[in-house]
């Protein structure tokens, strides 16, 4: 979520971004917050590109960016390059930047060291400062039963504790299946107001250093694609341009 306070006489704009593994309820959480079916829910891997949706809530315009996820315990180098680009691009889809970032963690599945490392690696695509703006949003709250979220955090062999500490102990629980309980959304919005105050109402942006790294990686990848085009040119008939682009696409997406 990204929230920023606008110029006089215009409505306030709140901006939010949702990240995390595939099937971690990112789209469901976005729909619950906006109070309507804005994002497609289903799966697996329903969301492959960033999506931006708006809704007016409490006299504010709220913008939510839904991002593609990653396979839950895969290291970042196994995530397709296209998904990494989309994750980085998400920051620019709600200019000047998100007021808060929601990291969805489904409590229905265990959160061990490999999952934690994957979360850290993928979040670092947005730079180290991203944690100052992040709230852990535990989803599948209906699976908690009689257990409290604090008990659940303690149970998970310190890794959930490490994660919440990284986010300044900011967390919230959602049952995305319960669309009638709006208090879960209201309470989340209050926590977002708090994080904004903690950050002096500043939004999250990529640092110049992260931008430069991003740009360098893009140039490197484009050069690799160019090399493949040149090397493939000899192997196909001059008029058959389709195989070249197909091979390049595969190289770009699957690396
Ligand atoms: N019981 C329960 N099911 C949920 C909850 N949140 C999401 N689901 C279900 O989990 C599945 C995945 O939810 P999505 O919102 O599509 O997850 P996503 O992270 O956007 O997944 P992709 O975009 O496909 O990577 C759907 O079948 C949802 O109905 C929840 O809080 N409780
Ligand atoms: Mg989705």
């Amino acid at each position: 979520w990204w929230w920023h306070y606008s110029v006089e006489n215009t409505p306030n704009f709140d901006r939010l971004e949702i990240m995390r593994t595939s099937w971690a309820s990112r789209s469901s959480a976005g729909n619950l917050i906006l109070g309507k079916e804005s994002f497609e829910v289903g799966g697996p891997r329903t969301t492959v590109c960033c999506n931006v949706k708006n809704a007016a809530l409490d006299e504010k315009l709220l913008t939510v960016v839904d991002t593609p996820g990653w396979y839950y315990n895969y290291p970042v180098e196994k995530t397709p390059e296209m998904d990494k680009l989309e994750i980085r691009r998400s920051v620019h889809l709600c200019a000047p930047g998100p007021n808060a970032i929601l990291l969805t963690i489904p409590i229905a599945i265990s959160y061990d060291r490999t999952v934690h490392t994957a979360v850290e690696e993928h979040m670092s695509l947005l730079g180290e400062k991203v944690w100052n703006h992040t709230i852990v949003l535990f989803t599948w709250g209906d699976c908690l039963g009689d257990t409290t979220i604090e008990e659940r955090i303690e149970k998970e062999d310190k890794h959930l504790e490490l994660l919440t500490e990284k986010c300044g102990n900011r967390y919230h629980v959602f049952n995305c299946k319960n669309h009638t309980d709006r208090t879960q959304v209201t309470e989340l919005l209050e926590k977002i107001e708090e994080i904004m105050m903690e950050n002096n109402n500043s939004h999250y942006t990529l640092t110049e250093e992260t931008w430069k790294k991003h740009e360098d990686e893009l140039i490197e990848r484009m050069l690799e694609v160019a090399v493949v085009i040149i090397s493939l040119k000899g192997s196909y008939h001059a008029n058959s341009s389709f195989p070249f682009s197909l091979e390049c696409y595969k190289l770009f997406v699957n690396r």
Side-chain angles (χ1 to χ4, degrees):
W1 288 52
W2 329 91
W3 305 55
H4 93 132
Y5 286 99
S6 49
V7 283
E8 272 176 79
N9 300 327
T10 62
N12 290 329
F13 292 91
D14 295 337
R15 304 181 304 281
L16 167 74
E17 169 167 329
I18 309 183
M19 310 250 311
R20 205 358 202 154
T21 56
S22 276
W23 252 58
S25 322
R26 295 179 319 281
S27 305
S28 302
N31 290 342
L32 183 61
I33 291 157
L34 292 172
K36 55 185 179 183
E37 299 303 306
S38 298
F39 303 112
E40 197 186 337
V41 168
R45 269 189 71 74
T46 308
T47 312
V48 289
C49 293
C50 290
N51 272 316
V52 189
K53 300 288 175 186
N54 302 299
L57 288 188
D58 299 333
E59 296 176 3
K60 277 182 186 169
L61 184 67
L62 179 66
T63 300
V64 177
V65 181
D66 187 11
T67 64
W70 56 89
Y71 188 70
Y72 86 115
N73 64 355
Y74 267 25
V76 73
E77 63 264 21
K78 285 200 177 172
T79 297
E81 205 58 35
M82 210 57 149
D83 289 354
K84 287 191 248 176
L85 283 176
E86 276 298 291
I87 289 170
R88 286 186 173 121
R89 191 171 74 93
S90 61
V91 178
H92 310 290
L93 291 178
C94 51
N99 297 117
I101 292 167
L102 296 181
L103 175 62
T104 60
I105 303 288
I107 49 173
I109 54 168
S110 67
Y111 187 89
D112 60 16
R113 188 182 52 79
T114 53
V115 182
H116 183 59
T117 308
V119 167
E120 285 188 314
E121 286 181 2
H122 286 85
M123 289 295 277
S124 72
L125 290 173
L126 299 181
E128 273 313 303
K129 292 225 167 81
V130 70
W131 297 105
N132 299 343
H133 295 260
T134 303
I135 296 176
V136 181
L137 181 61
F138 292 109
T139 55
W140 291 72
D142 43 318
C143 295
L144 268 178
D146 293 335
T147 318
T148 65
I149 187 62
E150 287 74 23
E151 285 168 345
R152 179 75 170 81
I153 291 171
E154 257 183 49
K155 226 178 88 184
E156 206 61 72
D157 197 22
K158 298 274 177 234
H159 291 107
L160 276 182
E161 216 169 313
L162 280 176
L163 178 72
T164 50
E165 273 169 17
K166 238 178 147 76
C167 298
N169 286 315
R170 292 176 297 261
Y171 57 85
H172 190 67
V173 183
F174 256 12
N175 170 4
C176 301
K177 288 288 189 192
N178 186 353
H179 280 241
T180 51
D181 177 15
R182 289 299 294 172
T183 54
Q184 49 180 345
V185 176
T186 317
E187 283 169 15
L188 174 69
L189 297 182
E190 283 165 11
K191 288 178 186 175
I192 290 166
E193 292 280 358
E194 279 167 28
I195 200 177
M196 284 171 65
M197 280 197 297
E198 281 169 29
N199 288 309
N200 298 321
N201 281 332
S202 68
H203 52 266
Y204 177 71
T205 46
L206 291 180
T207 60
E208 208 167 304
E209 193 189 333
T210 315
W211 250 123
K212 179 85 180 65
K213 204 170 144 220
H214 183 192
E215 206 175 63
D216 288 348
E217 278 171 14
L218 258 179
I219 293 169
E220 196 186 317
R221 194 75 359 97
M222 282 161 78
L223 285 174
E224 283 176 15
V225 171
V227 168
V228 172
I229 293 174
I230 292 164
S231 57
L232 283 175
K233 260 208 144 161
S235 11
Y236 292 99
H237 191 271
N239 290 330
S240 105
S241 58
F242 176 72
F244 300 146
S245 43
L246 187 65
E247 288 306 318
C248 293
Y249 176 79
K250 280 186 196 158
L251 179 91
F252 195 77
V253 170
N254 295 328
R255 266 189 52 108

